[in-house]
Amino acid sequence: MSGRLSSAHSFSPREIRDIFISTLVLTAAVVIMFRSGSVADYFERHFGGSEYGAMFAVIFVIMLLSFVGHEMGHKFMSQDLGCWAEYRMYPMGLLLALVMSVFGFLFAAPGAVYIRGNMTVEDNGRISIAGPAVNMFLAAVGIAGSLVLNETAYVVPVYLMASMNASLALFNMLPFGPLDGAKILRWNTGIYALAMGIAVVLFISFWFMPTIYYS
């Protein structure tokens, strides 16, 4: 059979399970990574003995927006182009995330959206840019929110969202191996240069923001 498949944004039970497990594990890894330091101090100050539960809940929401949003960018663009697309977790990649978080940093390959169908180089480029585009948007919202909410009790969650998404956008735009940037570059050098430029500006903007304080 040739041609394109349905573009409906559908999910299988296995995919929902894999997304949920991946999000839980990544959230746990980030909580472990932030188990001490200024982030932990913020949650302890505002939630007392429930600080780790509150931290888990906040970071879980950030993961839904950032990690799941990135993967759904790929999935929905693929389905809009008529391809079959489903997320699958990498158990060893999730285990690696937990192990690395104990040492204070996060390196994760939690899974990927698997795609089947007839794709051109342009289709592949459009699918690839959809994920980082979500992170760029969230990074911009997080940076702006951090500036607006600075010195309030609400600044830390949006600051964490800015940090995570600025890093994800820049990392995924690198033009190497299986990363999104390599596929975008093969499609269109001009679009790649623009997207990479935005990712770099957001990353630099985050790191050069004024000092963030919370009440």
Side-chain angles (χ1 to χ4, degrees), residues 93-207:
L94 292 170
L95 178 61
L96 177 64
L98 286 174
V99 172
M100 291 295 98
S101 68
V102 174
F103 298 98
F105 62 95
L106 187 63
F107 180 82
V113 173
Y114 284 72
I115 303 166
R116 290 203 303 264
N118 298 325
M119 285 190 299
T120 65
V121 172
E122 178 181 352
D123 290 340
N124 201 15
R126 292 172 63 190
I127 291 167
S128 297
I129 203 170
V134 171
N135 299 128
M136 292 177 201
F137 172 76
L138 292 172
V141 170
I143 292 169
S146 296
L147 296 174
V148 171
L149 298 173
N150 199 6
E151 301 187 40
T152 74
Y154 307 104
V155 68
V156 172
V158 293
Y159 179 83
L160 291 174
M161 186 176 77
S163 172
M164 186 173 299
N165 283 280
S167 300
L168 280 172
L170 183 59
F171 176 76
N172 281 285
M173 285 303 302
L174 295 175
F176 306 122
L179 295 176
D180 297 323
K183 302 166 193 173
I184 299 165
L185 182 60
R186 283 196 294 270
W187 163 42
N188 189 304
T189 54
I191 291 176
Y192 173 80
L194 176 61
M196 184 59 159
I198 293 171
V200 169
V201 167
L202 288 169
F203 188 79
I204 293 173
S205 298
F206 170 77
W207 286 106

Side-chain angles (χ1 to χ4, degrees), residues 8-170:
H9 294 166
S10 58
F11 296 84
S12 71
R14 178 181 176 183
E15 182 179 28
I16 294 170
R17 180 205 67 181
D18 281 12
I19 291 170
F20 183 67
I21 292 173
S22 297
T23 307
L24 282 179
V25 173
L26 288 175
T27 300
V30 174
V31 170
I32 292 170
M33 186 175 65
F34 289 145
R35 65 191 182 276
S36 62
S38 58
V39 174
D41 291 344
Y42 163 82
F43 282 97
E44 183 177 10
R45 175 174 177 174
H46 288 279
F47 298 97
S50 304
E51 67 267 27
Y52 290 111
M55 189 189 305
F56 192 96
V58 168
I59 293 174
F60 184 81
V61 172
I62 294 172
M63 280 294 174
L64 285 177
L65 293 170
S66 309
F67 159 67
V68 178
H70 177 104
E71 299 300 340
M72 292 306 98
H74 293 318
K75 175 184 173 69
F76 293 161
M77 180 61 75
S78 300
Q79 291 179 328
D80 287 344
L81 291 171
C83 299
W84 175 91
E86 285 203 1
Y87 174 83
R88 293 290 182 265
M89 65 179 177
Y90 299 154
M92 290 305 298
L94 292 170
L95 178 61
L96 177 64
L98 286 174
V99 172
M100 291 295 98
S101 68
V102 174
F103 298 98
F105 62 95
L106 187 63
F107 180 82
V113 173
Y114 284 72
I115 303 166
R116 290 203 303 264
N118 298 325
M119 285 190 299
T120 65
V121 172
E122 178 181 352
D123 290 340
N124 201 15
R126 292 172 63 190
I127 291 167
S128 297
I129 203 170
V134 171
N135 299 128
M136 292 177 201
F137 172 76
L138 292 172
V141 170
I143 292 169
S146 296
L147 296 174
V148 171
L149 298 173
N150 199 6
E151 301 187 40
T152 74
Y154 307 104
V155 68
V156 172
V158 293
Y159 179 83
L160 291 174
M161 186 176 77
S163 172
M164 186 173 299
N165 283 280
S167 300
L168 280 172
L170 183 59

